[in-house]
Amino acid sequence: MQDSRATLKLDIEAEPDADAQELADLTAHLHEELLQLDVDAVELAREGEPPPGAKAMDVLGLGTLLVTLVKSAGGLGTLVSTLQGWLSGQPRSVRIELDGDVLDMKGISSE
């Protein structure tokens, strides 16, 4: 039986002059929006194993979310529509990766 679930990697890129806190805030905001969708999970990505003595937060991939959902055109379409709305009028972007395929979505500055 073929697995009917997919995990997408979302890499968020903030404005060029954004600092780590701004990227963390954007990631948290998008995380909350995606949880409102019909998805199985939205998680902060982890970047390898923590070094000895490091806090768990030290290994979170800043600006990277993993979204698990049922593989369907409707589910992916809803996710892409949500990302388009989130990017609308903003100078930021999201890179979506699924099974080696990549889609780059960019917002446009309102200035």
Side-chain angles (χ1 to χ4, degrees):
M1 182 174 180
Q2 195 175 33
D3 186 13
S4 63
R5 306 258 178 248
T7 299
L8 292 88
K9 180 180 176 186
L10 306 181
D11 289 316
I12 302 162
E13 186 173 312
E15 299 176 33
D17 61 344
D19 62 17
Q21 183 59 52
E22 288 173 297
L23 182 56
D25 291 345
L26 285 173
T27 303
H29 182 257
L30 182 57
H31 181 266
E32 289 302 313
E33 280 197 40
L34 295 177
L35 286 174
Q36 302 304 311
L37 302 178
D38 186 18
V39 297
D40 294 333
V42 180
E43 302 170 330
L44 295 171
R46 304 230 177 248
E47 297 290 326
E49 294 296 316
K55 297 177 186 170
M57 290 297 290
D58 292 343
V59 295
L60 291 178
L62 191 60
T64 303
L65 295 171
L66 300 176
V67 180
T68 303
L69 66 149
V70 174
K71 281 185 185 178
S72 71
L76 291 172
T78 300
L79 176 69
V80 169
S81 292
T82 299
L83 291 171
Q84 285 175 326
W86 186 77
L87 290 167
S88 180
Q90 303 297 322
R92 54 190 179 210
S93 65
V94 176
R95 178 184 176 157
I96 305 168
E97 186 173 339
L98 173 63
D99 297 331
D101 293 323
V102 175
L103 172 65
D104 288 314
M105 298 179 66
K106 297 187 185 303
I108 299 172
S109 175
S110 58
E111 295 178 1

